[in-house]
């Protein structure tokens, strides 16, 4: 629940930027399903409290650009 709230908070901040189409934003929490460190130490838990931004291209637009060349 906390990871989803963290992701949603960042998406809400990004939506304040008028040059970003809000339809292109998605928030997802991974919680215990994608740790990068063990949770048995405070250092590991701190590493797992992270935000990852994943940029994905619009494949149809890339295809159009390549076809126009």
């Amino acid at each position: 629940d906390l990871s989803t709230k963290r992701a949603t908070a960042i998406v809400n901040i990004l939506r304040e930027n008028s040059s970003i189409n809000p339809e292109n934003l998605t928030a997802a929490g991974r919680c215990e399903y994608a740790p990068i460190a063990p949770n048995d130490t405070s250092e590991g838990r701190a590493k797992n409290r992270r935000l990852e931004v994943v940029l994905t291209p619009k494949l149809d637009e890339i295809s159009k650009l390549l076809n126009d060349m």
Side-chain angles (χ1 to χ4, degrees):
D1 188 46
L2 182 59
S3 63
T4 302
K5 287 180 181 178
R6 186 178 288 123
T8 302
I10 297 302
V11 165
N12 288 336
I13 291 169
L14 291 173
R15 284 185 174 159
E16 294 174 6
N17 185 330
S18 61
S19 64
I20 298 174
N21 183 349
E23 292 180 9
N24 294 335
L25 300 173
T26 304
R30 299 288 188 253
C31 193
E32 72 268 16
Y33 302 108
I36 60 171
N39 278 317
D40 54 356
T41 66
S42 60
E43 292 84 10
R45 289 188 296 277
K47 287 181 181 180
N48 288 327
R49 285 189 299 271
R50 68 192 186 281
L51 173 75
E52 294 180 10
V53 176
V54 179
L55 303 175
T56 55
K58 292 184 176 183
L59 296 178
D60 57 334
E61 290 184 17
I62 291 174
S63 177
K64 183 180 175 189
L65 287 171
L66 293 174
N67 289 332
D68 289 345
M69 295 180 90

